[in-house]
Amino acid sequence: MRAPAMLRCAAALALLLAVAAPAAGFYLPGVAPSDFAKGDPLQVKVNKLTSIKTQLPYTYYSLPFCKPATIVDSAENLGEVLRGDRIENSPYVFQMREPKMCQIVCKATIDEKAAKELKEKIEDEYRVNMILDNLPLVVPIARQDKNSFAYQGGYHVGAKGQYAGSKDEKYFIHNHLSFTVKYHRDDDSELSRIVGFEVHPYSVKHQFDDKWNGADTRLSTCDPHASKFVTNSDSPQEVEAGKEIIFTYDVRFEDSEIKWASRWDTYLLMTDDQIHWFSIVNSLMIVLFLSGMVAMIMLRTLYRDISRYNQLETQEEAQEETGWKLVHGDVFRPPTNSDLLCVYVGTGVQFFGMLLVTMIFAVLGFLSPSNRGGLMTAMLLVWVLMGLLAGYTSSRLYKMFKGSEWKKITLQTAFLFPGVAFVIFFILNALIWGEKSSGAVPFTTMFALVLLWFGISVPLVFVGSYLGFKKPAMEPPVKTNKIPRQIPEQAWYMNPIFTILIGGILPFGAVFIELFFILTSIWLHQFYYIFGFLFLVFVILIITCAEITIVLCYFQLCSEDYMWWWRSYLTSGSSALYLFLYAAFYFFTKLQITKVVSGILYFGYMLLASYAFFVLTGTIGFCACFWFTRLIYSSVKID
């Protein structure tokens, strides 16, 4: 028999696996290197203020930091805006390989409002993020073995502490920054490339003897001429209304053996990844073993059944059909709410195509962290383009169910999931906007998203649906009886709710280890770049969804229950329920979120992610079961 067009992705996936697997270690940096001669200006840019306690980003200049003469916003892509990035210029200007000591940036007197905002940001452990030559600023922290460092993105706005002999807790701002710029020098040309950007923040209550003379004022607490350098915070700068704060910085340059192509390795290995690798390999081995066992059982059982049925038919010894062959006249009867099933399958194929294409580009290195916002931008654009597959798949399935109103099914495919996602996103964005956070998506970006949806995605869904509906309808391998057969009473373990809940455990087990690192990357602001393993986990997810659904579908048909359409979708799709429960567990055990708005944001976005995971895994299970039923019923002789 001819395989259905919407299921031909299996062969393409195998080919892509063969091509992409050797490329897992291939890295494309994503941006061209910049060469600097000695004395060339280095522009430090500032990014958003972030906190893992609130998950609400704010712009750098929302706090009373020193400002340049003119604030210039950097051009940002769609992904950066959605992430809440707000990249602007800063008053920090370095000269390549020319160190500076005790440089005064400005002096600021904070009022009561500014002091309150600073205290709130210090209380919520906000970090300041900066960028130099596309490298984010990090704070080196010595590990326990003292032989290596861990790196944290950005430095804290300040800290809480107590004076000696006092129990009153005070807030102190980090007003002195000791920068270290690491560079790799070309011996032939004397040009240098930046390979590291680090900082040690200090809180220092600066003093000066003479009158204030701007940047030329000599500070008694920080004077390179008198060999007074800032090396600690013994006399910290307290945050109080009406007090003056002098912002200063040092910068030193350090020659490094790290080459430009490897400069991101420091950031991508911020945490000990031995547990990560061991857990992933262990999980994959278990899942592969279970999948092999399931496949062997299914192949042996099916082979025996098909051989027995065909042998009985040829010898004319079969007085009565039994097992799954008994329901051949009803197994391809259209299910209830078939329109909705077509829509969900089409949307699931759209998700599958988006993840597959995006992950291949990520494995090849095109979506490296150096290209900020590139991953999210790529996912959005590929999702829009995959609307063609969504329309084609839903209309092909709809026509097989004898549907005739293809425009109706097309509209539902184009608007159901995106509409639900947009409503949730709009509500959450309104909450962020109410907190005056830079994470709120501006109106122009919201308009761009709607334009992508209505201007590109919807037309592509219509084109795909039109092409799919023009093709001849897929014919089932057996005829459907006019009168539906009565389903016998089922055993307790074949109860739909029980089998659906059991079916989602294995697919979730294939991804939950990797899910921990993905959630850590999103909500604890850490880099994630092990896309080779993520791609492998994605393949294992496909295999487990397909196999567990086929097995349970086979048991269902053997018990003479032919209503497999929706159950096959829900069986693997139920893994989304476990994903959401795990997200709740992660929230209460790993995160320190205390604000109600931040909690709503977390569960709102995780609900949306779980919904998307349900559509994806449900479609994989349905397609596998659809292929399986067509295969087995075309393999036996039906009178």
Side-chain angles (χ1 to χ4, degrees):
M1 59 172 266
R2 185 179 64 180
M6 70 176 180
L7 299 175
R8 292 173 184 167
C9 58
L13 177 60
L15 178 62
L16 287 169
L17 272 173
V19 173
F26 182 67
Y27 176 73
L28 296 175
V31 292
S34 299
D35 295 313
F36 300 96
K38 185 176 182 180
D40 284 351
L42 304 176
Q43 300 292 336
V44 178
K45 296 182 179 181
V46 292
N47 200 348
K48 59 188 176 184
L49 308 173
T50 57
S51 168
I52 61 174
K53 294 183 68 173
T54 69
Q55 303 296 332
L56 295 170
Y58 289 89
T59 59
Y60 177 82
Y61 294 113
S62 62
L63 293 182
F65 293 129
C66 301
K67 299 179 181 180
T70 304
I71 298 177
V72 180
D73 294 328
S74 297
E76 297 168 351
N77 58 42
L78 183 59
E80 287 179 303
V81 176
L82 294 176
R83 280 161 34 102
D85 286 349
R86 297 297 182 267
I87 302 173
E88 300 161 313
N89 62 328
S90 78
Y92 299 97
V93 180
F94 308 156
Q95 276 72 44
M96 188 65 182
R97 290 161 52 194
E98 292 185 0
K100 295 182 179 180
M101 304 299 295
C102 298
Q103 295 292 305
I104 297 175
V105 187
C106 73
K107 182 181 70 169
T109 302
I110 56 174
D111 56 19
E112 191 169 339
K113 180 182 178 182
K116 181 182 178 182
E117 290 178 348
L118 275 173
K119 290 179 180 179
E120 288 177 351
K121 295 298 185 292
I122 294 172
E123 181 72 36
D124 291 331
E125 298 180 7
Y126 269 86
R127 290 177 171 273
V128 178
N129 295 282
M130 294 184 177
I131 301 169
L132 177 63
D133 189 37
N134 207 39
L135 273 182
L137 180 69
V138 294
V139 178
I141 301 174
R143 296 182 187 269
Q144 292 182 352
D145 56 12
K146 304 296 182 180
N147 296 324
S148 59
F149 289 92
Y151 294 91
Q152 294 183 344
Y155 67 92
H156 282 113
V157 172
K160 293 192 297 182
Q162 300 168 338
Y163 289 112
S166 173
K167 294 183 179 180
D168 295 333
E169 199 165 47
K170 301 291 184 179
Y171 295 86
F172 305 100
I173 186 173
H174 287 142
N175 60 322
H176 180 85
L177 304 177
S178 182
F179 295 105
T180 300
V181 178
K182 296 184 178 181
Y183 64 92
H184 182 78
R185 183 165 54 183
D186 185 358
D187 295 332
D188 297 330
S189 63
E190 288 297 317
L191 295 176
S192 302
R193 293 178 178 177
I194 296 173
V195 296
F197 187 33
E198 302 174 359
V199 70
H200 288 279
Y202 300 99
S203 180
V204 182
K205 187 176 182 180
H206 285 301
Q207 303 289 341
F208 56 94
D209 299 329
D210 301 326
K211 64 178 182 178
W212 179 255
N213 194 23
D216 297 327
T217 305
R218 292 190 62 170
L219 302 175
S220 58
T221 48
C222 180
D223 186 0
H225 301 287
S227 298
K228 287 187 177 181
F229 306 120
V230 176
T231 56
N232 55 55
S233 297
D234 288 341
S235 179
Q237 175 63 60
E238 188 178 337
V239 176
E240 286 294 339
K243 288 194 174 183
E244 292 182 340
I245 301 177
I246 300 174
F247 292 89
T248 56
Y249 72 96
D250 303 331
V251 57
R252 67 186 185 92
F253 292 84
E254 183 179 306
D255 197 355
S256 175
E257 295 297 324
I258 299 174
K259 294 185 178 180
W260 186 88
S262 304
R263 66 178 188 163
W264 274 90
D265 292 353
T266 300
Y267 300 88
L268 303 180
L269 300 176
M270 284 186 174
T271 56
D272 187 3
D273 59 353
Q274 290 184 2
I275 298 176
H276 173 91
W277 290 91
F278 176 77
S279 300
I280 293 297
V281 172
N282 186 54
S283 176
L284 292 179
M285 292 300 293
I286 293 173
V287 172
L288 284 173
F289 174 75
L290 291 176
S291 300
M293 292 293 293
V294 167
M296 288 179 60
I297 293 171
M298 289 303 304
L299 287 174
R300 292 186 62 181
T301 305
L302 270 177
Y303 179 77
R304 186 176 65 247
D305 284 352
I306 292 173
S307 298
R308 181 165 57 86
Y309 286 148
N310 288 337
Q311 187 178 21
L312 290 174
E313 289 297 329
T314 55
Q315 297 179 1
E316 298 182 357
E317 297 175 357
Q319 300 299 319
E320 184 178 355
E321 297 170 345
T322 56
W324 54 268
K325 188 181 177 185
L326 189 64
V327 295
H328 67 84
D330 298 277
V331 73
F332 290 103
R333 187 181 305 280
T336 57
N337 297 319
S338 58
D339 291 9
L340 187 62
L341 180 63
C342 296
V343 171
Y344 271 120
V345 171
T347 305
V349 170
Q350 187 176 9
F351 262 114
F352 182 85
M354 177 199 71
L355 289 175
L356 185 63
V357 173
T358 305
M359 216 168 292
I360 290 174
F361 275 101
V363 167
L364 294 176
F366 289 103
L367 301 177
S368 68
S370 60
N371 184 13
R372 275 183 308 277
L375 182 62
M376 187 172 291
T377 303
M379 291 180 70
L380 280 172
L381 294 180
V382 176
W383 161 267
V384 168
L385 296 176
M386 288 297 164
L388 192 70
L389 290 181
Y392 181 85
T393 305
S394 60
S395 65
R396 289 281 284 152
L397 193 60
Y398 179 68
K399 190 171 184 178
M400 193 192 74
F401 290 149
K402 311 301 181 184
S404 57
E405 300 178 7
W406 70 274
K407 294 180 181 178
K408 172 187 172 184
I409 206 72
T410 304
L411 284 172
Q412 292 178 354
T413 304
F415 288 99
L416 180 60
F417 181 87
V420 172
F422 188 81
V423 168
I424 295 175
F425 176 73
F426 185 83
I427 294 173
L428 296 179
N429 191 66
L431 292 175
I432 300 173
W433 180 78
E435 295 292 320
K436 299 179 181 179
S437 167
S438 65
V441 176
F443 174 78
T444 53
T445 305
M446 194 75 75
F447 178 77
L449 293 175
V450 173
L451 190 63
L452 282 173
W453 180 13
F454 284 87
I456 300 178
S457 179
V458 173
L460 284 177
V461 173
F462 267 91
V463 171
S465 186
Y466 175 76
L467 294 176
F469 205 77
K470 279 185 63 178
K471 295 182 72 68
M474 292 180 288
E475 295 295 333
V478 291
K479 293 182 179 180
T480 302
N481 297 332
K482 293 183 179 180
I483 300 176
R485 177 186 178 85
Q486 185 175 1
I487 300 174
E489 186 177 351
Q490 301 292 302
W492 66 270
Y493 53 82
M494 291 305 297
N495 182 278
I497 297 178
F498 180 77
T499 57
I500 287 171
L501 292 178
I502 289 296
I505 294 177
L506 189 58
F508 172 74
V511 300
F512 88 97
I513 294 291
E514 198 68 16
L515 181 64
F516 170 81
F517 294 97
I518 293 174
L519 291 179
T520 301
S521 171
I522 295 173
W523 300 106
L524 296 183
H525 305 151
Q526 295 184 10
F527 289 106
Y528 182 91
Y529 196 57
I530 311 180
F531 290 112
F533 264 96
L534 183 62
F535 188 82
L536 186 57
V537 169
F538 181 59
V539 174
I540 295 298
L541 174 66
I542 296 170
I543 295 172
T544 50
C545 284
E547 289 188 344
I548 193 65
T549 307
I550 288 173
V551 169
L552 292 178
C553 179
Y554 173 73
F555 291 154
Q556 179 185 351
L557 294 176
C558 286
S559 62
E560 302 178 16
D561 183 356
Y562 55 84
M563 301 181 68
W564 62 273
W565 299 93
W566 272 109
R567 198 188 295 194
S568 66
Y569 196 99
L570 297 174
T571 294
S572 54
S574 65
S575 57
L577 173 64
Y578 298 102
L579 187 150
F580 188 77
L581 293 176
Y582 181 79
F585 172 78
Y586 184 88
F587 178 86
F588 291 109
T589 58
K590 299 297 181 181
L591 299 182
Q592 302 174 354
I593 294 176
T594 54
K595 288 190 175 182
V596 175
V597 172
S598 301
I600 294 174
L601 290 178
Y602 177 85
F603 283 103
Y605 281 124
M606 291 312 303
L607 178 64
L608 187 58
S610 300
Y611 182 33
F613 193 70
F614 163 75
V615 175
L616 172 68
T617 53
T619 299
I620 294 172
F622 171 83
C623 290
C625 200
F626 183 62
W627 166 82
F628 171 74
T629 52
R630 290 180 67 91
L631 179 66
I632 63 174
Y633 283 101
S634 63
S635 301
V636 295
K637 297 177 182 179
I638 306 293
D639 289 338

